[in-house]
Amino acid sequence: MEKTTLFYVIIVILVVQYLIHQLLEYLNAKRFESEVPKELQDVFDGEEYQKSQQYKRTNYRFGSLSDGFSLLVTLAFLLLNGFEWLDQLTRSLSDNPIVMALVFFGLIVVGSSILSAPFSYYQTFVIEEQYGFNKTTKKLFFLDKLKAGVLAAIFGGSILSLFILFYQWTGPNFWLYTWIMAAVVILFMNLFYSKLIVPLFNKQTPLSEGSLKEAIERYAKHVGFELQNIFVIDGSKRSTKANAYFSGFGREKRITLFDTLINDLSEEEIVAVLAHEVGHYKRKHIIFNLVVSLLLTGLTLFILSLFINNPQISLAIGVSTPSFHAGLIGFVLLYSPISEITGLAMNYLSRKFEFQADNYAKMTFAATPLVTSLKKLSKNNLSNLTPHPAYVFVHYSHPPLIERIRNLKA
Ligand SMILES: [Zn+2]
């Protein structure tokens, strides 16, 4: 089949994105050798530092390999008319647009999961294992993949079906209805993800009575933060890496602490981490992020509605019979430079918000325990102490450790 200009535009987008990301990885990797800033010299001792740098080099090489592989597969699929072949196969099974879309996307998702599974397996059972992070068993690993797949099929399949129904019923206004549906799903997930989805993968128990809970409650009362739900999650069954996060709002707001965090940090440090999370809430970051993601979704759907009927979008991925499902894939690929830019903007804002949350913790609690907790967490996660600024700009949702510490000590 004749390739259109947009087909080559997609190829260029994919290759340029790959090259930019590889350049960033390369710049970042070149700084693995640089000297650790004075304030961070107590994070690792000499031997641990070597181990942490080795871990980064291993991940760098592995990342280049898997990114290169996925680029090659995608390009080959496009150039060898893979989408056209898949479309014909789909059409031979059904002529119902919803069934076709489900089969078309289903096969793409299954195919790419099969191709990426060995990489994910190697990452967990060779790299993470070698550096002592991995706690997951092979059984748990496959069970996780299976559950995630079933969930994705149920949620993704229903959302896609409704999406096409709206398209059939309402024509050009379908984006508005899809947006309303997306808003309901996003809000619902924000409120109930921890209650409904997390239990499928982890056990969560309310933080038990004791001095830690008292310390947290004392702090929450001090800043006028109503907190009913503090949960401890068994993150240790998969990894030694520690974390804490905030979710929901209103009465559904909850703080989730990893059991690994409780083991690694002192009580004062845990309260400091919590104060940072409360800072995100009090500074309205949670609501802001929710509103922005709703607006971005609406904007994307609106732009999609302008192009979805254009047969050129299906042709752009080499599919000769225009359809909603082929148009959707063509659109996602052509739109990806714009999503990269919105991603950059979101990361930039997120780093600003991290400083604000740190400042909140400093003002309402204390800076020192937050500094020591961040150091401990960086040490345990073998974090990069000297990332390249361009890499930080593109990829980091949190400022590098040194900047956070300088801000906390200022
Ligand atoms: Zn934060």
Side-chain angles (χ1 to χ4, degrees):
M1 204 186 101
E2 201 59 43
K3 307 275 192 255
T4 64
T5 311
L6 279 182
F7 179 87
Y8 292 106
V9 170
I10 288 183
I11 302 278
V12 170
I13 288 175
L14 288 170
V15 172
V16 169
Q17 269 172 352
Y18 172 79
L19 290 176
I20 292 175
H21 283 282
Q22 285 308 305
L23 175 69
L24 288 170
E25 295 290 343
Y26 170 76
L27 288 174
N28 205 39
K30 265 183 48 174
R31 290 178 49 121
F32 290 163
E33 308 300 333
S34 35
E35 204 176 323
V36 179
K38 202 163 89 274
E39 298 99 310
L40 300 184
Q41 275 169 0
D42 57 344
V43 174
F44 294 111
D45 68 27
E47 197 182 315
E48 285 164 345
Y49 191 65
Q50 285 315 310
K51 180 182 161 197
S52 125
Q53 298 313 86
Q54 198 53 48
Y55 176 63
K56 283 172 210 93
R57 276 190 285 268
T58 308
N59 272 320
Y60 167 57
R61 281 196 295 264
F62 181 71
S64 311
L65 192 79
S66 64
D67 291 352
F69 175 77
S70 95
L71 177 73
L72 285 181
V73 169
T74 312
L75 290 182
F77 197 69
L78 275 164
L79 291 165
L80 299 172
N81 292 322
F83 285 111
E84 172 75 350
W85 170 79
L86 199 60
D87 189 57
Q88 299 291 345
L89 177 73
T90 305
R91 284 173 190 285
S92 72
L93 298 172
S94 169
D95 54 4
N96 177 309
I98 294 179
V99 177
M100 284 197 298
L102 291 176
V103 171
F104 189 76
F105 281 99
L107 289 174
I108 291 174
V109 171
V110 169
S112 60
S113 320
I114 290 173
L115 286 172
S116 67
F119 289 94
S120 162
Y121 183 92
Y122 187 88
Q123 176 88 47
T124 306
F125 292 106
V126 179
I127 301 179
E128 297 286 294
E129 183 80 41
Q130 196 181 346
Y131 290 90
F133 289 129
N134 180 42
K135 290 281 171 264
T136 195
T137 59
K138 284 172 188 154
K139 187 180 159 201
L140 185 61
F141 178 83
F142 286 110
L143 214 57
D144 280 354
K145 294 259 178 232
L146 193 70
K147 284 186 204 164
V150 170
L151 276 179
I154 295 173
F155 278 96
S158 346
I159 289 172
L160 185 63
S161 307
L162 280 173
F163 196 2
I164 296 172
L165 275 181
F166 292 142
Y167 179 65
Q168 289 177 328
W169 289 340
T170 64
N173 287 330
F174 80 97
W175 71 274
L176 200 59
Y177 294 89
T178 310
W179 189 21
I180 295 168
M181 169 183 72
V184 170
V185 172
I186 292 174
L187 274 174
F188 180 83
M189 279 298 174
N190 216 282
L191 285 173
F192 299 110
Y193 184 80
S194 299
K195 236 183 204 167
L196 299 178
I197 309 289
V198 176
L200 298 174
F201 295 90
N202 281 88
K203 202 180 277 163
Q204 301 177 104
T205 37
L207 180 63
S208 51
E209 299 297 328
S211 59
L212 174 61
K213 193 171 181 196
E214 279 162 25
I216 291 174
E217 281 170 348
R218 212 176 310 127
Y219 170 77
K221 208 173 159 206
H222 166 65
V223 292
F225 183 77
E226 209 186 318
L227 186 58
Q228 317 281 10
N229 308 308
I230 312 168
F231 284 88
V232 181
I233 191 170
D234 58 345
S236 62
K237 81 171 178 182
R238 291 196 182 79
S239 170
T240 59
K241 290 180 178 174
N243 201 357
Y245 63 89
F246 192 100
S247 57
F249 49 83
R251 289 180 56 84
E252 285 301 327
K253 62 183 187 288
R254 64 156 82 193
I255 285 184
T256 307
L257 305 169
F258 277 50
D259 54 353
T260 39
L261 188 88
I262 294 181
N263 292 335
D264 294 343
L265 303 185
S266 73
E267 258 176 43
E268 204 191 13
E269 287 168 338
I270 295 171
V271 178
V273 169
L274 205 108
H276 168 101
E277 297 300 329
V278 172
H280 279 307
Y281 191 83
K282 288 272 187 181
R283 293 279 179 262
K284 309 229 177 330
H285 300 156
I286 316 264
I287 292 293
F288 180 89
N289 285 336
L290 201 62
V291 170
V292 169
S293 69
L294 286 177
L295 291 178
L296 279 177
T297 308
L299 180 70
T300 310
L301 286 169
F302 174 69
I303 299 174
L304 170 72
S305 75
L306 302 178
F307 291 99
I308 192 74
N309 279 319
N310 189 333
Q312 286 298 324
I313 306 293
S314 295
L315 277 171
I317 58 165
V319 172
S320 55
T321 321
S323 64
F324 190 87
H325 57 260
L328 205 51
I329 300 253
F331 177 79
V332 168
L333 290 171
L334 288 165
Y335 194 72
S336 63
I338 300 176
S339 356
E340 292 251 349
I341 291 169
T342 51
L344 282 183
M346 292 303 276
N347 269 346
Y348 177 81
L349 275 177
S350 167
R351 293 192 299 270
K352 288 243 171 288
F353 289 170
E354 289 307 317
F355 283 131
Q356 291 178 9
D358 280 350
N359 290 340
Y360 184 86
K362 176 162 93 172
M363 273 161 39
T364 59
F365 189 65
T368 313
L370 192 53
V371 169
T372 53
S373 69
L374 289 173
K375 283 183 174 177
K376 277 190 190 172
L377 291 173
S378 295
K379 174 193 162 111
N380 289 358
N381 296 346
L382 299 182
S383 299
N384 191 354
L385 302 183
T386 54
H388 192 281
Y391 192 89
V392 172
F393 183 76
V394 175
H395 289 292
Y396 274 39
S397 61
H398 286 57
L401 179 63
I402 182 73
E403 286 180 25
R404 290 181 74 178
I405 290 182
R406 282 180 185 155
N407 171 61
L408 280 167
K409 285 184 173 169

